[in-house]
Amino acid sequence: TKCVHLPPEVTATSRHYVDRLFDPDPQKVLQGVIDMKNAVIGNNKQKANLIVLGAVPRLLYLLQQGSSSSELRAECAVVLGSLAMGTENNIKSLVDCHIIPALLQGLLCPDLIFIEACLRCLRTVFISPVTPVQLLYTDPTVIPHLMSLLSRSQRTQEYITQIFSHCCKTPEHQTVLFNHGAIQNIAPLLISPSYKVRMQALKCFSVLAYENTQVSMTLVNVLVDEELLSQVFVRMMQRDQPIDMQLTAAKCLTYMCRAGAIRTDDSCIVLKTLPCLVRMCSKERLLEERVEGAETLAYLMEPDVELQRIASVTDHLVAMLADYFKYPSSVSAITDIKRVRHWTLLIEPSQQHTTLHTTLDHDLKHAHELRQAAFKLYASLGSNDEDIRKKITETENMMDRIVSGLSESSVKVRLAAVRCLHSLSRSVQQLRTSFHDHAVWKPLMKLLQNAPDEVLVMASSTLCNLLLEFSPSKEPILESGVIELLCSLTQSDSPALRVNGIWALMNMAFQADQKVKGEIVRALGTEQLFRLLSDPDSNVLMKTLGLLRNLLSTRPHIDQVMSSHGKQIMQAVTLILEGEHSIEVKEQTLCILANIADGNTAKELIMTNDDILQKIKYYMAHSNVKLQLAATFCISNLIWNEEDGSQERQDKLRELGFVDILHKLTQASDPNLCDRAKTAMQQYLA
Amino acid sequence: DITPLSISLSPCINPKMAELGAGSLLLGDPAFNYQEAELNERLKRLYPAVNEDETPLPRSWSPKDKYSYIGLSQNNLRVHYKGHGKNHKDAASVRATHPIPAACGIYYFEVKIVSKGLDFLSSLLPLSPIPGWDKHSYGYHGDDGHSFCSSGTGQPYGPTFTTGDVIGCCVNLINNTCFYTKNGISLGVAFTDLPPNLYPTVGLQTPGEIVDANFGQQPFVFDIEDYMSEWRAKIHGMIARFPIGERLGEWQAVLQNMVSTYLVHHGYCATATAFARATETLIQEDQTSIKNRQRIQKLVLAGRVGEAIEATQQLYPGLLEHNPNLLFMLKCRQFVEMVNGTDSEVRCFSIRSPKSQDSYPGSPSLSPRHGATNPNLHSAGADSPTCSNGVTPPNKNKSHNKYPGVSSASSSSSSSPSSVNYSESNSTDSTKSQPHSGTSNQEETSDSEMEIEAEHYTNGVAENPSARIMNGTYKHQEILQAQDISLGNGVAEDSCASRQLCGGNQAATERMIQFGRELQGLNEQLCREYGKNVTHKKMLQDAFSLLAYSDPWNCPVGQQLDPMQRENICSALNSAILESQNLPKQPPLMLALGQATECVQLMARVRSGSCSFARVDNFLH
């Protein structure tokens, strides 16, 4: 199906190579394979030709044939390895020819040279992004066999660990490798005399430990040549070690720390891993290293404020990160041109144009990667400490950069920028000052219109903070018609988005005027409101109750809302109080009742509902003080003296036995409850 | 009887230690001495390139260079403030005893805030009289975290610091920057373009403020050695990747020439020939000449100095006559070897048949007699590995001081025909080294034998004053020591048995005494002709002192008997021969090494900090 047009003379030479593989004389076949090996080295065109002409199945046949000499089989594996070194298309063709099972089968042969050639080829195939990693795990005998081959030679060690580190992509893969003794088998390789082996072993540990408590907990107790593994990693982070090794060792320790295997105040984290990662962010490092360094550092300190504080003063990190936004700079543009010129020496003129484009794409990608990494790190740095947030926002053009980051084409950058904004939005001071000055709400609102869920979660969460009542951005956001948007979020399948939507609405309704509240109720619709009250996510339920409570504040608002939606609200309240819910949910619900009891006309909805009154009575005698307090508060509102009809209500409630309960509560050990009950009793005495 | 002498003669007491001890008035405290030794060791490890005789390292605060408001205690490491602390005028500072030597490359010290008053500043100050301290100073304030540089206005720099914090200051003398640390965390570059000769300094301003300095007395909180390792790697990388450009071929020719001349210089004839063949280069000196020198060197290294003198006179007539100092040194050595019982003039007495001496040079074929002399040849052969033990011993410097005249001796001017001439015998060796005398078979054997022996004393020969730097490579030492042990057994037995004056032979002793008189005569003659020579006098004294002890090997001057002492005279003789043939008296490789070493030392003097990580011995394997 491939459309390949080959010049006839090229095809002729290549065909000759393939034809020789079919010679009846095994000696000539061997010579043919060796000649083919020499012809394909470094020649992508030749590789493509041979693949198209069907060399691969024949080579695989020869490789698998028991009658082939071990020399021939090894040479076949070498040629296949060479073909794999070409383009991604080559790899695809090889995988389509079922090269992987054939080579894995070849590993059972006792001949070490053949095994090494097979592994080398497998390595090249597996590290390609086009190869499905699952192919390594299809046959359950493969992993244990690879483990056993680790002892054969430095080459087998290098190739196998490299295969592992590229094929360990999921927690399941981690578990499979772990269960087959990956740690015990690979740990000794960390002190191998070969740098390549040490490096690949280290990479294995970094992928094994990532977000894996079981692996991490095992790793901390492993000894390599009587030295703790963490100390081996610390040595690998020494400043005279190759950067790749320092960075990967820092990753291992980071993952072990995040998995809880190493304390965040351990000196190997504070004095070694963290400074090492900060160094990786320096201008002297390569772009990829700076990106990985920043991302790993962000991950390391995310949950720990003390690490955030230390990082914020280490080697001017906050200022150093500002450089991430200066790529591609005028200086790098010059070096890039040089790089392009350099490349042109190696390629045919017709390809120059594409190479230039590739280089520019490459740079653009790097620029995106750098920016998103910086945003991530800023987000992590500023997630807890007010002083650090101040330091970040005072960095040159920081707010402008975030604002423009929010509307970048790359989703990754947008996500990181909004994360950063979210982190900074936890600061009351920043909400009041820089956030307002830079009108961050505008790009944020734009971002919310059409974005992937993960961006939406962050953006809406940030919006929640911008809608806090002291935020000067609240007004303009309200005027921009955000309510519809938030209401649509509450209908999302993602619990995080539903929470953020309803949370933002809750914040918006806090001390809002009647118009806004009316709009919220109208836009959300009672049906949706009650659907949210039965949401399986307790966070959603809590925030919805919070919204209700905010809607039901100040007497006129209470009466108005209750007059239009009283029936449904009372139903919902009843259901929640009867259902299996947490104390917090019930408390919040009782508080809503207390608010309702504060209305003028709304009171009657409770007074006429004996079921609800019985429930209030029940909660006044509950073992939880918070619930008792909320229920008492409700009763207190109902019997308040200065209001119309208070006498009748007092009488009715006395009949229902509330006075006795109040009387008991005046003896309560909790002083708040005791006071509340006494205040309520006074209403009767007055 | 050894003790009183050893005190007067032993240079083992480190003068630096004594000086320090005296300076700090706490010499008697053993704990303090222990700390001091530990400090010395740590400083040596941190700053190996620093020559403390020229540029001492800061070790404490200076009781002289301080404000009166400053009090010092705990070996001048603790600083406390005793002023009023009312305003900025009451600020006071103290600096360390010495400025930071550039040869440190990277310098680091820490200060622990034991107790914090209201204001504290830590700073670095340049060399200047006390009143001018405030100018050109560089510091980091604790109260606001600002850095200040030469002027009063601070720049936001780092976090604030207080009681319990450990603040470190690192001066990078390679790029002239400085950064501070807080509790082991680097706070990033504070200053660039720092001037040279900065003193570690602290300033205080509040009553009750106490800080403790750590100039290396304790392990540092910050891992400074890790930081140093990065710079070492950087500088080594710079050297390793030094661009050669178009001159690759030129460099290769130079390197080949260096290797070749080195081999020729030390007389590794076959190796040199093989190398020349492989690299298609030419050897300047002819083979016979190389072999002659090799033979003479072997004789000296075997302690057979008399024969060596004789061979030299025979092969290079007039050489020793033109180098009376060298001749004198050789004769002194010969005397020492007589005491040792190794020189052939005394050894002949201990051989059973005195005739054997006469018989073997004359026998051209393998006679049974020849077999009898074999043990001697063997012991000679075994001697060279002993002396080849090219380990630079700690007392090596001492021996150089004793014989400083190696180069001056060879360069001193003309004549005085040697008055002493003991032509007694031709050794078998002389026939051996005649290239055309033996059959080709024999020659090959002897050739390979020589190469093997040459292997043994490779390092030892290189061990001459100019080549001191050559040694210090540890792998070699281990190998050589291992050889030493295995070969040493035989030698030890041998020397134990013969560890008597002149091998315990009466006639030999008489010969030795007679020789001593002649030597004394030679000295007097030289004095008359060239005036008094202190070096000669000392040499003679040392040599004669051996006779004053019942066991010369275990006496204060017994070190002269160590076969290793032959190496200096051996290389001096070799150099003199080469010079007389108009060949360089030193191999270019050694010259290059010497020059590189000098350059690095010069770098330290002109304050180029990278010298600390560009040490020549780092590149010798």
Side-chain angles (χ1 to χ4, degrees), chain B residues 86-124:
Chain B
K86 282 176 187 145
N87 56 47
H88 278 281
K89 280 177 191 161
D90 294 328
S93 54
V94 58
R95 69 181 192 189
T97 47
H98 301 286
I100 299 162
C104 291
I106 284 161
Y107 182 79
Y108 186 71
F109 72 99
E110 278 178 353
V111 169
K112 185 185 169 99
I113 321 311
V114 177
S115 166
K116 165 97 171 75
L118 291 170
D119 182 33
F120 171 84
L121 56 99
S122 143
S123 59
L124 281 164

Side-chain angles (χ1 to χ4, degrees), chain A residues 224-498:
Chain A
V224 183
D225 198 23
E226 295 180 23
E227 193 178 15
L228 275 174
L229 203 60
S230 55
Q231 286 312 304
V232 177
F233 291 149
V234 166
R235 267 197 293 110
M236 289 175 148
M237 283 193 299
Q238 272 171 22
R239 293 179 185 223
D240 53 355
Q241 296 293 326
I243 298 299
D244 198 16
M245 180 167 272
Q246 290 186 40
L247 181 54
T248 315
K251 276 189 186 176
C252 288
L253 287 164
T254 296
Y255 299 156
M256 286 162 75
C257 179
R258 282 299 306 267
I262 303 176
R263 289 168 54 105
T264 52
D265 60 357
D266 191 297
S267 71
C268 81
I269 296 295
V270 177
L271 293 179
K272 294 293 176 186
T273 310
L274 186 145
C276 174
L277 289 170
V278 173
R279 287 202 301 277
M280 295 302 140
C281 300
S282 111
K283 239 189 222 173
E284 291 169 39
R285 300 278 71 86
L286 299 175
L287 300 178
E288 293 90 340
E289 292 159 356
R290 291 166 76 186
V291 170
E292 276 194 60
E295 286 182 337
T296 313
L297 182 56
Y299 182 64
L300 172 68
M301 65 190 178
E302 204 172 28
D304 191 277
V305 65
E306 204 42 53
L307 289 181
Q308 290 157 13
R309 288 195 184 117
I310 292 169
S312 76
V313 299
T314 304
D315 284 338
H316 308 300
L317 176 65
V318 175
M320 204 195 285
L321 281 178
D323 289 334
Y324 277 51
F325 296 94
K326 293 173 185 163
Y327 185 88
S329 66
S330 51
V331 179
S332 74
I334 291 166
T335 53
D336 291 339
I337 289 163
K338 273 188 196 153
R339 198 161 70 206
V340 172
R341 289 221 180 105
H342 175 68
W343 276 105
T344 53
L345 296 173
L346 303 171
I347 53 171
E348 291 101 290
S350 61
Q351 287 182 306
Q352 261 187 44
H353 190 66
T354 31
T355 314
L356 183 62
H357 269 287
T358 322
T359 313
L360 289 178
D361 284 353
H362 187 72
D363 283 352
L364 204 61
K365 205 180 148 222
H366 270 308
H368 286 155
E369 284 293 306
L370 279 170
R371 283 203 287 274
Q372 64 87 22
F375 280 136
K376 265 187 205 162
L377 188 44
Y378 276 132
S380 189
L381 271 171
S383 56
N384 296 93
D385 189 286
E386 187 64 33
D387 288 339
I388 301 176
R389 287 188 197 118
K390 190 163 174 282
K391 211 169 163 180
I392 293 171
T393 45
E394 282 167 2
T395 310
E396 51 168 320
N397 305 326
M398 191 58 213
M399 290 312 286
D400 290 337
R401 279 177 181 145
I402 296 177
V403 167
S404 58
L406 291 176
S407 44
E408 274 210 35
S409 58
S410 154
V411 176
K412 225 174 162 184
V413 178
R414 269 185 286 160
L415 176 60
V418 73
R419 258 204 210 183
C420 181
L421 192 68
H422 176 248
S423 178
L424 297 175
S425 74
R426 290 183 186 161
S427 157
V428 175
Q429 199 202 347
Q430 299 311 326
L431 281 177
R432 283 189 173 142
T433 56
S434 56
F435 273 56
H436 187 58
D437 298 344
H438 289 85
V440 294
W441 64 272
K442 281 185 189 167
L444 191 67
M445 286 300 295
K446 227 174 122 194
L447 195 60
L448 280 162
Q449 305 301 324
N450 183 23
D453 269 10
E454 46 180 359
V455 176
L456 273 184
V457 170
M458 272 295 150
S460 54
S461 187
T462 313
L463 194 66
C464 288
N465 291 343
L466 283 166
L467 285 169
L468 287 167
E469 58 83 36
F470 52 79
S471 160
S473 307
K474 186 177 178 177
E475 276 309 306
I477 295 176
L478 278 177
E479 283 158 21
S480 72
V482 73
I483 297 176
E484 294 290 338
L485 187 111
L486 293 174
C487 291
S488 69
L489 287 185
T490 65
Q491 296 179 3
S492 162
D493 289 336
S494 147
L497 282 179
R498 291 203 302 276

Side-chain angles (χ1 to χ4, degrees), chain A residues 554-571:
Chain A
T554 72
R555 206 160 285 163
H557 296 172
I558 297 168
D559 288 335
Q560 193 176 353
V561 172
M562 291 310 286
S563 69
S564 49
H565 304 286
K567 201 179 158 202
Q568 293 102 316
I569 290 173
M570 290 310 287
Q571 262 176 8

